[in-house]
Amino acid sequence: MNTLSHTGTATKTESSRDANIPATSHNPNDHQCPIFDPRLEVKECCSGSQTLIEDIPFFAKESPEQIPINNIMPDVAAFDIDFTKLLGDQKQKEIEAELEKKHAEDLQNIRFDMYTLEELRKTNFSNDPLFDPFLPRTGVAAVVGMPDSGKSMLCRQLALSLVHGKRDFLGFPLKPKHRRAIFVTTEDTIEATRACFIRQSDAMNSEGKPMQEKDLVIILGDDMTTDEILDRLELMLSRLPFDLVIIDAFGDIFKGGEGNSNIANRNSLRPFSILAKKHGTCVLFVHHTNKGARHAVPDHIHVQGGSGFVQKVRSVLELRSKKDNGGIKYLVCTKGNGVSHKTKSQAVELLFDEKTFIYKYSGMKIPVEDLRTDKNEVSVKIKIDAKEIFAPHEMTLKRNEIISRAIEKYDVSRSTVERWISDTLEVLAYGTYKNPDFILTASQLLPHKIPT
């Protein structure tokens, strides 16, 4: 029986060895030098034992005498079959056309994680908003504000307007496709939730109310974990399409120890973002602003959770009450992909009816700067006059001296004076501030006479 030695040279077994060819000597106890015949798929040592091929460590060294492996392997070209000859050209074209059609249908109906630009152009995923121009049709967004500012009432009314078939909300277009919404409450009891929804729904004059109210699903999630809420939403969205999912509030589904951690906020939002994209819906969170937002100009930097929350959501709407009138609210878009700068710079004035819990657009818009109550308090209510702080001959004063004089003169808090300084005075070097009424006279420019 012909075999191959570990050096690649042809040898014979003891029973039929050619006398003219010297036998290769092997140590029967040396199993590092196998005699290997790939065609037999066994290893034969000079001791006569045989082993399956998969047990052989394939570490044989190359040598000039080694038989190339290509000489003992089948020709790859033998497997190159032209299926067009077997199926026929016409049948092959029909199969290719069917595959192209199936791919085109998949582009229309299935979300992939990678496209060519040509394929992306063929998809039917439009960027039209659900609540124009504030809320996206697909993605995550947020309504934020201070506690007791009316955020939950506003979101309940949005959900009811959607299922009642309203074509606008607070004076802006509302464009639902399915007229279905889900409201997840993690804070209110079933009694409070029932009372609020029924009062708002009864105030809406629309026909077929019982049929429409069937399309608003309310989930009481106060005793549910975040994963349980996600599982329930996945189940419902898999059965029926919904335009809107409202989660009140984000703090109860947040996963992470540190509320201001950017990573923890993004990780908490990520499964809901995946859910929204998978089912083509808008997930709207009710969230809070920090204490600094109470008197400042509306801005997304005041949203709790640091920049990680705002970076992940596509839109942020801030609701704020008028300081001296709780029946007047202001709605401001502080972040919105595709929302114009003009829209973001205006606050929409809303009138809130405490009997029906319904918001209505007053028809008025004001600049967002007018909502900065601390600036108004300093400039209107507390009139600090620089002439009462600086003497006519004083060109500059130190900050602490200004604060001391203003507190003594006007009996105001230190923080109020500091805001006035920041808004009014020009800071110079070494922590000094310029007297805005100081005028340098000609006599002050002349050198002083040195007495003799």
Side-chain angles (χ1 to χ4, degrees):
M1 179 178 62
N2 287 330
T3 62
L4 296 178
S5 72
H6 70 288
T7 60
T9 58
T11 62
K12 294 184 180 180
T13 60
E14 292 291 340
S15 60
S16 59
R17 181 174 297 165
D18 191 338
N20 297 325
I21 300 177
T24 304
S25 62
H26 292 285
N27 181 358
N29 297 323
D30 184 5
H31 290 277
Q32 301 299 320
C33 302
I35 301 173
F36 173 48
D37 189 341
R39 292 163 293 185
L40 301 177
E41 297 188 349
V42 296
K43 179 182 76 171
E44 183 177 348
C45 292
C46 43
S47 61
S49 61
Q50 292 184 344
T51 313
L52 293 176
I53 189 172
E54 49 264 32
D55 296 332
I56 303 171
F58 200 73
F59 298 139
K61 296 182 179 179
E62 294 182 4
S63 68
E65 301 176 353
Q66 186 174 5
I67 297 176
I69 192 69
N70 291 338
N71 293 346
I72 60 175
M73 293 297 290
D75 188 359
V76 178
F79 297 99
D80 189 10
I81 302 173
D82 187 358
F83 287 97
T84 58
K85 294 180 179 179
L86 299 178
L87 299 175
D89 293 340
Q90 184 60 32
K91 187 63 176 178
Q92 183 70 17
K93 290 179 180 178
E94 291 177 3
I95 293 175
E96 291 176 356
E98 188 65 27
L99 290 174
E100 287 288 340
K101 181 181 178 182
K102 180 66 170 59
H103 182 58
E105 291 175 354
D106 289 344
L107 287 176
Q108 297 293 322
N109 303 306
I110 302 175
R111 289 178 179 269
F112 298 98
D113 57 5
M114 184 173 65
Y115 295 88
T116 66
L117 180 57
E118 179 187 19
E119 291 173 334
L120 198 59
R121 186 186 294 275
K122 294 177 181 178
T123 64
N124 60 355
F125 302 125
S126 62
N127 198 34
D128 61 314
L130 173 65
F131 176 36
D132 195 3
F134 303 115
L135 296 183
R137 187 171 299 282
T138 301
V140 288
V143 172
V144 303
M146 297 295 294
D148 203 30
S149 58
K151 306 180 295 294
S152 298
M153 291 290 186
L154 181 72
C155 290
R156 290 190 191 100
Q157 184 178 339
L158 172 60
L160 285 167
S161 298
L162 190 148
V163 300
H164 276 266
K166 303 293 185 182
R167 306 311 299 173
D168 71 90
F169 180 63
L170 306 178
F172 295 89
L174 188 61
K175 306 174 181 178
K177 289 183 177 179
H178 314 292
R179 291 171 57 173
R180 296 191 193 94
I182 300 173
F183 192 96
V184 181
T185 175
T186 61
E187 294 182 333
D188 292 328
T189 63
I190 186 172
E191 292 83 5
T193 301
R194 177 184 181 276
C196 291
F197 267 117
I198 289 178
R199 187 181 298 193
Q200 287 181 304
S201 185
D202 288 347
M204 292 185 177
N205 298 320
S206 24
E207 298 178 0
K209 190 175 296 183
M211 185 65 67
Q212 293 163 347
E213 289 182 345
K214 250 186 359 180
D215 295 324
L216 175 57
V217 180
I218 301 166
I219 298 177
L220 302 172
D222 52 336
D223 295 327
M224 299 171 65
T225 66
T226 302
D227 291 336
E228 288 172 342
I229 291 174
L230 280 166
D231 290 342
R232 184 69 59 85
L233 292 175
E234 174 65 39
L235 178 64
M236 297 180 64
L237 293 170
S238 299
R239 292 177 175 176
L240 283 173
F242 286 80
D243 296 290
L244 180 65
V245 176
I246 298 172
I247 298 179
D248 182 15
F250 174 74
D252 291 320
I253 60 94
F254 172 74
K255 284 186 174 182
E258 176 55 47
N260 290 324
S261 168
N262 291 338
I263 296 176
N265 276 275
R266 293 181 71 92
N267 288 342
S268 296
L269 287 169
R270 187 172 181 271
F272 292 93
S273 176
I274 294 173
L275 185 78
K277 294 173 184 176
K278 179 180 178 181
H279 297 285
T281 189
C282 175
V283 178
L284 180 65
F285 292 97
V286 179
H287 198 26
H288 297 285
T289 52
N290 54 40
K291 294 179 180 178
R294 186 180 297 276
H295 302 296
V297 174
D299 197 310
H300 59 71
I301 63 173
H302 301 302
V303 179
Q304 286 185 0
S307 59
F309 180 90
V310 175
Q311 290 167 2
K312 188 67 175 175
V313 298
R314 291 187 57 195
S315 176
V316 177
L317 299 177
E318 182 175 340
L319 185 66
R320 183 176 296 193
S321 300
K322 190 173 183 179
K323 187 173 182 181
D324 56 350
N325 188 347
I328 297 178
K329 312 279 185 178
Y330 295 100
L331 187 65
V332 183
C333 180
T334 59
K335 179 192 176 180
N337 296 346
V339 180
S340 67
H341 175 73
K342 180 181 179 181
T343 301
K344 293 177 182 176
S345 65
Q346 295 177 329
V348 179
E349 187 178 82
L350 306 176
L351 304 177
F352 179 66
D353 189 334
E354 295 185 352
K355 294 182 179 179
T356 62
F357 295 163
I358 293 294
Y359 289 90
K360 290 184 180 179
Y361 174 42
S362 70
M364 298 288 293
K365 295 178 183 178
I366 65 171
V368 293
E369 287 289 336
D370 292 355
L371 298 179
R372 182 177 173 179
T373 55
D374 60 345
K375 181 177 180 180
N376 294 337
E377 287 175 356
V378 171
S379 60
V380 179
K381 294 183 179 181
I382 303 172
K383 291 282 188 180
I384 297 179
D385 190 352
K387 293 179 181 179
E388 299 290 339
I389 306 299
F390 291 87
H393 65 279
E394 291 177 326
M395 181 177 178
T396 63
L397 279 177
K398 291 283 188 181
R399 183 183 184 88
N400 287 338
E401 182 62 25
I402 296 173
I403 293 173
S404 177
R405 292 184 185 185
I407 291 174
E408 182 180 356
K409 178 72 177 177
Y410 294 97
D411 191 23
V412 292
S413 66
R414 182 184 181 92
S415 61
T416 299
V417 181
E418 288 177 339
R419 287 196 298 267
W420 175 78
I421 292 174
S422 300
D423 292 338
T424 308
L425 301 182
E426 178 184 353
V427 62
L428 301 176
Y430 309 112
T432 59
Y433 292 82
K434 180 181 176 182
N435 180 357
D437 300 312
F438 180 79
I439 299 176
L440 194 64
T441 62
S443 61
Q444 292 172 312
L445 293 173
L446 296 175
H448 292 285
K449 191 180 220 179
I450 302 175
T452 56

